[in-house]
Amino acid sequence: MAISPSFTASQNSGTPNIIFLTDTSTGTDVTIAKRRVYLLQSNGTYLVPTGTTTDYIDWALVDTTISLNVLIQDTALSITVQWLTSGNVEVASLTTSFAFTAYNETFYYGLTESQVANANLTASTNWYQTKMILRVELDSAYQAISFASDIFSAQAALNRATFISTNQSYFF
């Protein structure tokens, strides 16, 4: 049975800098010898780990999952995985867009914890409005990805959310 390319991407709140990719492909192709990963950012550049001299990341075929230490903030990416022969001929390829939001989601959860600890915070219109703006920006990023695979709009929303979290002393 020919290969049906598939992969998932995930992120953990405890390590928001790391993206985990898991190959969930079905089928086989004996000519496949390796994989490559391209992480396209909204500004048209490729994101790679420090020290990588190519636009791509090699992903050994024996590893079902790869962890990539590449994020410094919430980021929208168009991720392409290529399944290649030993001569670098593409056998299969799949591109999917993702919004990685663990930085701001962790911050948002911290706001929720503060709200539970001090219910009077919701009496502050500015505090509560800013919390809701943060939620709307995160939801806007998710919608841009799920509705249109639009990493540009998603990144713009994530940048607005990051502005709130990195300048929290002005908002909360």
Side-chain angles (χ1 to χ4, degrees):
M1 177 165 123
I3 189 165
S4 178
S6 179
F7 68 93
T8 61
S10 62
Q11 182 185 33
N12 297 324
S13 61
T15 54
N17 53 308
I18 298 174
I19 296 170
F20 298 94
L21 299 180
T22 302
D23 188 337
T24 56
S25 301
T26 57
T28 59
D29 188 316
V30 295
T31 65
I32 296 173
K34 58 185 172 179
R35 287 175 294 228
R36 282 188 183 158
V37 178
Y38 292 87
L39 306 174
L40 180 64
Q41 301 180 96
S42 64
N43 66 2
T45 63
Y46 289 95
L47 187 61
V48 293
T50 303
T52 303
T53 58
T54 60
D55 287 343
Y56 59 85
I57 302 150
D58 287 316
W59 183 1
L61 200 57
V62 296
D63 298 327
T64 304
T65 300
I66 186 173
S67 60
L68 305 172
N69 185 353
V70 293
L71 299 180
I72 58 171
Q73 68 178 44
D74 286 353
T75 305
L77 295 171
S78 176
I79 301 177
T80 299
V81 176
Q82 294 177 322
W83 288 260
L84 305 167
T85 67
S86 59
N88 294 325
V89 175
E90 184 179 291
V91 175
S93 179
L94 180 65
T95 300
T96 308
S97 297
F98 297 92
F100 296 98
T101 61
Y103 284 99
N104 281 308
E105 288 289 5
T106 301
F107 176 72
Y108 187 84
Y109 181 67
L111 293 176
T112 299
E113 287 181 319
S114 296
Q115 187 177 341
V116 169
N118 182 358
N120 291 332
L121 288 174
T122 58
S124 166
T125 304
N126 289 338
W127 191 95
Y128 204 66
Q129 277 184 322
T130 305
K131 183 182 180 202
M132 291 297 95
I133 291 169
L134 178 62
R135 178 80 264 148
V136 167
E137 295 299 355
L138 290 169
D139 290 348
S140 294
Y142 295 136
Q143 185 188 36
I145 295 299
S146 64
F147 186 71
S149 295
D150 180 356
I151 62 171
F152 183 80
S153 296
Q155 189 62 55
L158 293 174
N159 289 346
R160 291 187 299 269
T162 298
F163 180 81
I164 292 170
S165 63
T166 59
N167 294 286
Q168 60 186 290
S169 61
Y170 296 113
F171 298 108
F172 301 102

